[in-house]
Amino acid sequence: MSQLPFPIAEEPDEFSLEKGRLLFAGETVFVKGVVAMSGLPDADRMEVCFAGRSNVGKSSLINALTGHKALARASNTPGRTQEINFFTAGEEHYLVDLPGYGYANAPLPVVEKWQRLLKQYLSGRQTLRRAFVLIDARHGVKKVDHEIMSLLDSSAVTFQCVLTKADKVKAAERDKVLDQVRGELAKHPAAFPEMIVTSSEKGDGIPTLRAIIATLI
C-alpha cells in the first residue's frame, strides 16, 4: 500500500521533543508589531511565521505553543491582528504572527495595505525558514487559503499545513477533511510534504510542532 501524500507528521524522537520543550520553556517576549517593512526587527535570528484566515485559532495555537495564555490576543473580532507581530522564542528564534486573512468587514484599502506588506515580508525576509499555514479541521482548505499558499509559492517560502481545532471534529469527518486538504496542498509546489494535526485546547500536536520549529536549520 503506497503512503498517502501529505501524511500526518509522526511523533518526533526524544531528542527533538526535548529540544522543542526547551525552546519554549524559556520566556517568550513580544518584540513589536510592524506595519511597514522599515519597522522590521534586525534579521539576526531564524524565524518561522504563522498564517491563517480569521478565527482559525492562530492566537490560541501560539499561546499553546509558548505556554502563555494571553501572549497572542485571541479575539472574537476577525482581522484584529492588523500588524506583523514578532515574538522571541529563546535567543535564536523569532515567532511571527501574520495578519489574519479572509476578513469580511475590513475596508478594501486596509486589506490591500496588509496584502502588500505580507508580500514584501514573505519575499524579502532571508531568515524566514518556514511558514505554517493554519487550516480549521472542521472546514478544510477554502478559496481564501489558496491565495496565501500561492503567495508562498511565488515567494519560494516552504509552508507546512497545521490543522487546528482537531478536537472539534469526529474521526470520520476528520478523515474526509484530511483527504480534501491533501488534494488542495498537492496544487502548491511550496507545500511541505507533511501535515501537523493540533488541538490548542487539549494540547494535541503541540509538542510535535515545537520540535519541528526547534530542529529547523
Side-chain angles (χ1 to χ4, degrees):
M1 182 177 168
S2 61
Q3 189 181 37
L4 283 168
F6 299 98
I8 296 168
E10 293 181 4
E11 184 168 324
D13 58 46
E14 285 185 24
F15 172 80
S16 301
L17 283 170
E18 179 63 5
K19 201 168 176 185
R21 187 192 71 76
L22 288 172
L23 174 63
F24 289 97
E27 194 176 11
T28 307
V29 179
F30 173 68
V31 180
K32 66 191 304 192
V34 175
V35 294
M37 288 293 283
S38 57
L40 289 176
D42 291 340
D44 59 357
R45 59 182 73 198
M46 189 193 85
E47 59 197 61
V48 296
C49 67
F50 298 86
R53 64 180 180 266
S54 298
N55 284 355
V56 76
K58 183 155 53 71
S59 297
S60 299
L61 182 78
I62 291 172
N63 290 337
L65 261 182
T66 59
H68 293 268
K69 287 186 179 175
L71 185 73
R73 295 174 301 178
S75 169
N76 292 324
T77 308
R80 180 172 169 181
T81 307
Q82 298 178 14
E83 304 170 331
I84 297 179
N85 288 315
F86 281 77
F87 304 87
T88 57
E91 295 183 1
E92 297 176 354
H93 288 69
Y94 278 132
L95 306 179
V96 185
D97 182 10
L98 298 180
Y101 55 83
Y103 17 71
N105 299 322
L108 191 59
V110 173
V111 174
E112 287 174 345
K113 184 183 174 189
W114 294 348
Q115 287 174 338
R116 262 197 317 276
L117 178 60
L118 217 52
K119 283 178 184 173
Q120 290 171 330
Y121 167 72
L122 291 173
S123 59
R125 194 69 169 168
Q126 298 299 321
T127 45
L128 179 61
R129 289 290 174 271
R130 186 169 299 175
F132 294 97
V133 176
L134 279 50
I135 301 294
D136 192 319
R138 298 169 300 180
H139 307 306
V141 175
K142 296 201 168 184
K143 184 182 175 186
V144 70
D145 296 312
H146 282 296
E147 293 174 19
I148 191 79
M149 291 177 185
S150 296
L151 181 53
L152 289 158
D153 288 338
S154 62
S155 304
V157 175
T158 300
F159 70 86
Q160 188 161 8
C161 175
V162 178
L163 285 171
T164 61
K165 307 184 183 184
D167 58 304
K168 312 286 187 199
V169 188
K170 291 180 179 171
E173 286 302 311
R174 194 181 83 167
D175 287 343
K176 279 186 202 169
V177 171
L178 283 171
D179 285 344
Q180 187 262 359
V181 172
R182 287 184 174 110
E184 299 304 316
L185 288 177
K187 301 171 184 177
H188 295 279
F192 186 80
E194 250 183 13
M195 295 187 287
I196 308 164
V197 176
T198 66
S199 162
S200 299
E201 210 168 282
K202 304 213 166 170
D204 299 343
I206 299 300
T208 298
L209 182 51
R210 285 176 179 153
I212 286 169
I213 292 170
T215 53
L216 278 174
I217 298 171

